[in-house]
Amino acid sequence: MSKITLSVYRGDANGGEMKTYTVDTFPGMVVLDAIHQIQAEQDGTLACRWNCKAAKCGSCSAEVNGMPKLMCKTRVDDYPADQPIVVHPLRTFPIVKDLVADVSWNFEVSKSIPILKLADDGSAEPLRMQQVDVDRIQEFRKCIECFLCQTVCHVLRDGDRKDIFFGPRQMVRLASLEMHPLDVLDRRPMLRETAGVGICNITKCCTEVCPEHIHITDNAIIPLKERVADTYFDPVQKVLRWVGGRK
Amino acid sequence: MATTIRDSRGSGKTARRDAWWLQPLLTATVLTAFIIYATFRTFENDNFLPELSRNASALWESGRVGHLLSPFYSPLFLVDWQVMGYHVSPAILILPFPLSFRLTCYYYRKAYYRSFFMAPPACAVQGTTKKTYRGEQVFPFVIQNLHRFAFYAAFIFIFILAYDVVLSMKYVDGWGISLGTFVLLLNVLLLAGYTLGCHSLRHLVGGKLNCYSCSLAAKTRHGLWKKVTFLNERHALYAWVSLFGVALADLYVRFVCAGVITDWVLVKF
């Protein structure tokens, strides 16, 4: 049976260090299997968040050899066997312990986004929803909230601009609401101001790391930027709206 | 409040072990090479129209009455303006339109923010982003929001360059197709593929709608949106091949002008 070495971050908010472990491998083994093996056989105090082990709950996010990944979806044989696999908690968020990061900021931001608002005047005919109307939104609903996109976004990661930018995950959520055929709320002022869609510079790292393969930049962020441009940067659209009697 | 783990500080610092630097390096190299070539050709003010070049007599003998025009100098302005003794190149008047389209393009933004501004150089690699970062909210990058206006100009240029293809087929005794015609046609097709896959166009034709089934107009626009989306999914590919296409078309015309190669007439009808 062959073995691999892992270099795993051990520590908390007060500091920590990388610790090396050697584990037995088996066919199809993923990084989360290796972490579980360390917990079971070598060090039961190693903290790691996980749940489904099927890349659907978004719990086991970590940085493997420097790239944000789901540990349950990252095979150990994707890496050279002669070098240790480095496993680190998400760098963008505060550490709780070992591989567990505190991602609660994302849920706080999510709460500040107004939910779907239907027309309440009773005058509108009920809309029979067609597949073409929800195709775009269904892509966004695949999000498992692993926050890999949030952790790789350089605005949040390097600039730590959580004060002015909601991040890619929340842009996906805003896009799913903004593009909803029944929603009547105008989120463009929020997008421009508190959500900070203009801060994104389209470098597409969020799309690259998304385990659900959501085209975050092309299908969510850029369309939102264009909607903001319609309202705030395009005088032609402004005239057309004025002529058409729309807001 | 706990703190984040940031044990790798400074530009280029990362725990990644792969060759993350290769892509931004290649992008910077190719874009720089194109910028140098395009700047040289813009200011050269020569070798853009074989019919005006020192090789012109040979071309007249082929009987072409249209022209084989470099895309850098299209549409053709035969003006002779001088500023302090310098003969102003007509390409200077043309360049701002295609240049602004590429500069504000959502794909090229990714390419040059990564390779030139290092914001970030690659995913999960520390770049130049600081605590004061405001991205495209502040000048000069806020101008990127005007991309749609650059698109309008680029859209018109497709027709101008297509007209050049037609002119390249016009001969004194009828019509003909030369190798140069194919080169110019390839350039137009690649540029059309790139321009018609624009994110702003995708938004304007149908992306801005929330309900595609609500009216006949919305259904039609959804059809258009799907077609633009097809090209948009290949926008990066077309961005690169159309860049090479422009350089190739210009280089071909330049070589014909300089007499290095002959523009072979393949068919006449």
Side-chain angles (χ1 to χ4, degrees), chain B residues 188-227:
Chain B
V188 175
L189 292 176
L190 294 177
L191 279 174
Y194 170 54
T195 309
L196 298 177
C198 168
H199 289 86
S200 287
L201 175 66
R202 186 177 179 229
H203 169 75
L204 293 166
V205 298
K208 64 193 295 181
L209 300 180
N210 291 339
C211 183
Y212 288 132
S213 64
C214 292
S215 68
L216 184 61
K219 284 175 187 166
T220 309
R221 289 178 70 178
H222 180 246
L224 282 171
W225 177 82
K226 280 205 295 188
K227 287 181 174 63

Side-chain angles (χ1 to χ4, degrees), chain A residues 136 175 178-181 183 188 219 222-231 234 236-241 246-247, chain B residues 148 152 199-212 218 221-222 225 229:
Chain A
R136 285 184 299 180
E178 188 64 19
M179 293 177 188
H180 198 289
D183 183 68
R188 284 171 293 187
N219 290 349
I222 293 173
L224 291 178
K225 272 178 172 272
E226 286 295 319
R227 286 177 185 227
V228 168
D230 274 351
T231 310
D234 189 341
V236 178
Q237 294 282 328
K238 208 165 190 171
V239 170
L240 289 174
R241 280 196 303 276
R246 286 173 285 134
K247 274 199 291 181
Chain B
R148 60 188 60 182
Y152 298 145
H199 289 86
S200 287
L201 175 66
R202 186 177 179 229
H203 169 75
L204 293 166
V205 298
K208 64 193 295 181
L209 300 180
N210 291 339
C211 183
Y212 288 132
R221 289 178 70 178
H222 180 246
W225 177 82
T229 297

Side-chain angles (χ1 to χ4, degrees), chain A residues 9 13 65-68 83-84 86 88 91-95 127 130 132-133 136 152 154-161 164 178-181 192 196 198-205 208 218-219 222-223 225-227 229-230 233-237, chain B residues 1-9 14-17 106 109-110 113-114 119-120 122-127 129-137 142 145-149 152 199-200 202-204 206-214 222 225 232:
Chain A
Y9 184 83
N65 277 8
M67 274 302 277
Q83 292 174 7
V86 178
H88 203 280
R91 289 170 198 264
T92 306
F93 301 108
I95 185 168
L127 177 72
Q130 302 295 318
V132 290
D133 295 323
R136 285 184 299 180
V152 82
H154 70 108
V155 179
L156 304 176
R157 185 184 181 91
D158 300 337
D160 200 18
R161 301 293 339 237
I164 56 168
E178 188 64 19
M179 293 177 188
H180 198 289
R192 191 187 183 206
I199 290 164
C200 171
N201 69 339
I202 319 292
T203 43
K204 293 197 176 183
C205 286
E208 281 185 29
D218 288 309
N219 290 349
I222 293 173
K225 272 178 172 272
E226 286 295 319
R227 286 177 185 227
D230 274 351
F233 297 98
D234 189 341
V236 178
Q237 294 282 328
Chain B
M1 181 72 174
T3 53
T4 53
I5 305 300
R6 294 171 189 277
D7 58 359
S8 54
R9 281 300 210 176
T14 180
R16 282 179 66 173
R17 290 174 179 168
Y106 283 102
R109 273 143 82 172
K110 173 200 163 187
Y113 282 136
R114 281 196 188 192
C123 302
V125 177
Q126 178 105 26
T129 311
K130 300 279 188 296
K131 184 75 187 159
T132 51
Y133 186 78
R134 295 289 303 276
E136 296 181 345
Q137 274 192 331
V142 71
N145 286 297
L146 303 176
H147 179 52
R148 60 188 60 182
F149 295 101
Y152 298 145
H199 289 86
S200 287
R202 186 177 179 229
H203 169 75
L204 293 166
K208 64 193 295 181
L209 300 180
N210 291 339
C211 183
Y212 288 132
S213 64
C214 292
H222 180 246
W225 177 82
N232 182 261

Side-chain angles (χ1 to χ4, degrees), chain A residues 162-182:
Chain A
K162 297 185 185 84
D163 53 333
I164 56 168
F165 184 49
F166 280 8
R169 157 59 193 140
Q170 308 306 345
M171 293 300 149
V172 167
R173 178 146 188 269
L174 277 158
S176 74
L177 293 162
E178 188 64 19
M179 293 177 188
H180 198 289
L182 295 179

Side-chain angles (χ1 to χ4, degrees), chain B residues 25-39 116 240:
Chain B
L25 180 68
L26 277 175
T27 305
T29 306
V30 175
L31 284 180
T32 304
F34 183 81
I35 290 165
I36 292 169
Y37 178 75
T39 307
F116 290 110
W240 283 114

